[in-house]
Amino acid sequence: MTGLLHHQHGAVSVFTAGILLLLTGMTGLTIDVGMLYLKRRQLQAATDAAAFAAVQNPAAAVASAGMLLAQNGYAAANLGSVTAGYYCANAAIAPASRFTASPSGGCPPAVRVESNAETPLFFTRPFLAGNNGWHTIRATATAVRVDAAALRAGTAVAAINTSDALLMNAVFDSVLGGSNVGLTAAHYNALAGVDIGARGLLGGLAAKLGVSGGTYRQLLASSASVDDVLDAAIGVLSAPGATADAAVAIAGLQRLRGTVPASRTIALAKLFNLGVWQDSAVTGPAAINGGLNALQLATAAIQLANGQNAAASQQTVTLPGGTARLTLEVSAIEPPQDAWFGFGPEGTTVHTAQMRLKLAMQVIGQAVQLPLYIEIGSGTARIADIDCGINADGARVTVAARSSAADVYIGTVSAGPAAIKNFSAPVTVGPAWLLNVNVPLVGTVGVGFSAHLPIGGGAETSVIFTRNGPGPAIGTPPAPGTKGQVASTGLAGSIGSGLLSGLTIATSPAGLGGVVAALSPVTSLINTTIKPLLALLDPALDTLLKALGVKLGFMDLWVPGVRCGVPALVT
C-alpha cells in the first residue's frame, strides 16, 4: 500500500490533461469574446447610421432609424428607442447631460437611437449567456443636426516688399532663437495669398501621425512637430492643378522646415477647434473644409511649438529708408488657451496669442538708442449666430469679437526673463536714461524719457458675414472670403504721435524736469532722435507684428465657410 501512495507513473499525463483543458477554455473564451466584439461593432455602426438618418428628418425619426437598421440586416425588434431632443455642446455641462428633451438656449436639434441584438455564444454559454444561450448586446448613438461655420482671426497681410521681408524675418529669427529663416518678399506674398483646405490638411496630418482610420478626436489628442504641419500643408498645395503662387508658397514652407527642433511638438487641439465634428471620421465631413491661410498657419505652428519663447534672441535690421535701425527681441509669447482656427456651431471661439516685445530704435550715425516695450493681450472671436435662411446661399454668420488690448511704452524693463514670461503679473517699465546734462548750481543731472500709450480692446463688436449680401463675404473653400475687422479703443491717431504727446521727462536727482526740458541738449535729442524715430515706428511695428499674426488696434476676421443642417455624431 505504501508503494502505491508514492507511485508517480502517469503524473505528467494528468498535468497535461489539465493544461489542455485550460487552453481549450481560453480558446473558447477568445472566440466568444471576439465574436461579441465584432457583433457589437456591427450593431454600433448600424446604430450610428440610424441616428444620422433620424436627425435629418426628426418628424419621421422612428421610421428613418428603423429603415437604416433593416438595411444593415436588423429586425424591427432590434430598435430599442428613438428620442428626439436637443444637444448642448457646452464644456461646462457633463457629457451625459448634454442631450435633453427640452429646447435650451439655442442648442441644435438632436436624436438619440438605442438598439439591441442577441448573439449566440458557444464555448462560454454557461458563464456569459442568458437562460436561452444568447447574449444581449446594446448600442447607443446620438446625432445632432447643426448649422456650422469656420472662423479664423489674425491680421491680413498686404503686399510685402524686400524691406518688409527683412523685418518679418527678424521676427521669426528672434522667435526661433537665431535661426536664419531667409524668406524673400515673394515667399511672404505667396504664403499670404494662398489658402489651404482644412479637410486635406487634417487628412495629411492624420496620415503622418498614423490615425487615418480614426476620428478627429484621436487626431486632436495627438502632438505633431512643426515639420509635420508644414509637410501636410505642402501636400495639399502640391495637388494637381496648383497655381504658380502655390509653388512659391511651397518653396517658402520648405525653407521654414527644420527651423524648430522636432522635440518641440504642438498639441493639435491648440491649433484646431473642431467642435461637434471631433467624433467624425478623419477626412469627413465636408463641413470642416474651411480655408486656412498658409502664412497664418505657419506662424501659429511656430509660436505654439516655441512655447513661451525660451530661445528668443535679439535681431537687428535696418528700417526702410536706411536712416535708422531697429533691434528686436520677442521676449515672451503665451499661446492662447483655445485654438487659432475653429469649425463648429454657434459658440465656437478662436483666440490670438499674448506677447511681450522689446525694441530699441537708433538713428544710424548716432549713439543713442530709444528703448520701447510692448505688451499685447489676447484677442478673441466667437460665432455668435448662424442664420442659414432658406438655403446656404442666403446664409449670414455673425461674429462677435474683441481685438487685443495693448500697452506701448518708451522706457526700459529691468525684470529678468522669468518675470517677462509670467503673464499673470505686470512688468514695471522705468524711464529710458538717455543723456546727462550740466545744470548750473546743481551739477550733472541724468535725464530720462518715458511714455505710455494704452490701447484698449474695447467692447465686443459684431461683424456680419454674408454669402451674397453686403459686408464681408463668407468663403467657399479653399477661398477664405473677404475679411471683416474690429478696432480697439484709445487709438485716435498713430502710435508714434501718441507716445510723443505723452512724453515725460524724469531726472536724477528728481524734480528738475521743468528745468532741463528747455536745455538745448534735451530739445536737440527730442528733435533729432526721438521724433524721427517715432515717425518710423508705426510702419515698422505694423510689418513686424504681421509675422506674429497680430495688428495693434485692429483684428481681422474671416468666415472661410458655412454649412447648414449637417449631421454629426456626438458623445
Side-chain angles (χ1 to χ4, degrees):
M1 177 65 74
T2 302
L4 289 175
L5 290 176
H6 293 280
H7 192 66
Q8 296 185 9
H9 292 297
V12 173
S13 299
V14 174
F15 179 74
T16 302
I19 291 295
L20 288 175
L21 180 63
L22 177 62
L23 289 175
T24 301
M26 292 297 294
T27 301
L29 178 64
T30 301
I31 292 172
D32 278 356
V33 170
M35 180 64 68
L36 281 175
Y37 179 75
L38 174 63
K39 294 295 184 181
R40 173 69 174 74
R41 286 194 62 182
Q42 291 173 341
L43 179 63
Q44 186 63 59
T47 307
D48 290 346
F52 266 123
V55 79
Q56 294 181 74
N57 188 7
V62 175
S64 299
M67 181 180 67
L68 258 294
L69 283 178
Q71 291 175 356
N72 283 279
Y74 294 94
N78 296 122
L79 181 61
S81 64
V82 178
T83 307
Y86 301 85
Y87 183 83
C88 299
N90 187 336
I93 302 174
S97 302
R98 292 176 186 173
F99 180 81
T100 174
S102 303
S104 174
C107 299
V111 172
R112 173 167 289 173
V113 175
E114 296 178 337
S115 61
N116 59 77
E118 292 190 332
T119 184
L121 297 177
F122 302 99
F123 300 97
T124 58
R125 182 178 298 180
F127 309 103
L128 300 180
N131 294 331
N132 59 359
W134 293 68
H135 182 78
T136 302
I137 54 176
R138 293 178 172 81
T140 301
T142 304
V144 59
R145 188 172 182 266
V146 296
D147 298 332
L151 176 63
R152 78 175 201 235
T155 182
V157 177
I160 299 298
N161 58 36
T162 301
S163 296
D164 294 334
L166 292 175
L167 283 169
M168 295 175 75
N169 282 342
V171 174
F172 279 119
D173 292 345
S174 176
V175 170
L176 294 171
S179 296
N180 183 17
V181 171
L183 294 180
T184 66
H187 291 136
Y188 280 114
N189 285 317
L191 289 168
V194 168
D195 284 86
I196 300 165
R199 191 180 184 192
L201 178 74
L202 292 169
L205 280 170
K208 292 189 73 68
L209 300 177
V211 292
S212 294
T215 65
Y216 285 120
R217 183 187 294 275
Q218 292 171 302
L219 176 60
L220 297 189
S222 306
S223 293
S225 68
V226 171
D227 284 0
D228 288 335
V229 176
L230 298 181
D231 285 341
I234 289 169
V236 176
L237 293 176
S238 300
T243 64
D245 281 347
V248 180
I250 289 171
L253 294 174
Q254 288 171 335
R255 285 205 178 190
L256 289 173
R257 290 187 80 261
T259 56
V260 178
S263 58
R264 295 182 189 170
T265 58
I266 303 166
L268 292 180
K270 292 291 187 181
L271 195 57
F272 305 104
N273 173 8
L274 300 186
V276 297
W277 311 118
Q278 60 185 349
D279 291 311
S280 300
V282 171
T283 72
I288 65 167
N289 199 27
L292 305 180
N293 179 259
L295 181 57
Q296 288 186 348
L297 176 67
T299 298
I302 288 172
Q303 289 183 28
L304 276 174
N306 210 34
Q308 287 198 331
N309 204 33
S313 66
Q314 288 188 349
Q315 300 293 320
T316 300
V317 62
T318 300
L319 295 177
T323 62
R325 65 173 60 95
L326 180 145
T327 300
L328 161 77
E329 180 184 330
V330 184
S331 304
I333 294 176
E334 177 77 3
Q337 296 302 307
D338 291 323
W340 257 280
F341 308 109
F343 308 86
E346 295 173 11
T348 298
T349 59
V350 297
H351 294 266
T352 59
Q354 300 180 73
M355 55 194 67
R356 289 172 168 173
L357 300 87
K358 291 180 182 179
L359 307 178
M361 302 181 72
Q362 182 180 20
V363 175
I364 293 176
Q366 295 185 11
V368 173
Q369 287 190 333
L370 181 67
L372 297 105
Y373 174 72
I374 303 170
E375 286 198 355
I376 303 172
S378 176
T380 182
R382 64 180 175 86
I383 299 174
D385 181 67
I386 302 174
D387 182 359
C388 282
I390 297 175
N391 53 50
D393 289 337
R396 289 160 47 97
V397 178
T398 301
V399 177
R402 181 183 292 107
S403 63
S404 305
D407 290 277
V408 185
Y409 297 87
I410 293 175
T412 57
V413 176
S414 59
I420 291 284
K421 294 179 176 66
N422 181 13
F423 282 85
S424 64
V427 172
T428 300
V429 183
W433 299 97
L434 301 184
L435 80 163
N436 294 318
V437 296
N438 186 54
V439 176
L441 304 180
V442 177
T444 301
V445 175
V447 182
F449 299 84
S450 62
H452 174 211
L453 178 64
I455 303 171
E460 196 173 63
T461 302
S462 293
V463 181
I464 298 176
F465 294 78
T466 64
R467 180 72 81 185
N468 296 310
I474 297 169
T476 300
T482 57
K483 72 172 182 178
Q485 190 178 77
V486 293
S488 299
T489 59
L491 188 61
S494 71
I495 295 169
S497 62
L499 290 172
L500 186 61
S501 64
L503 191 67
T504 60
I505 296 176
T507 61
S508 178
L512 298 173
V515 175
V516 302
L519 297 179
S520 59
V522 176
T523 57
S524 176
L525 182 68
I526 292 174
N527 291 323
T528 64
T529 301
I530 296 178
K531 282 185 177 180
L533 290 176
L534 291 181
L536 297 172
L537 179 61
D538 282 79
L541 267 183
D542 187 55
T543 302
L544 289 171
L545 294 178
K546 283 175 183 176
L548 295 170
V550 296
K551 183 176 183 179
L552 286 182
F554 300 92
M555 182 165 64
D556 296 329
L557 306 163
W558 292 264
V559 174
V562 63
R563 295 276 291 181
C564 297
V566 182
L569 288 173
V570 293
T571 54

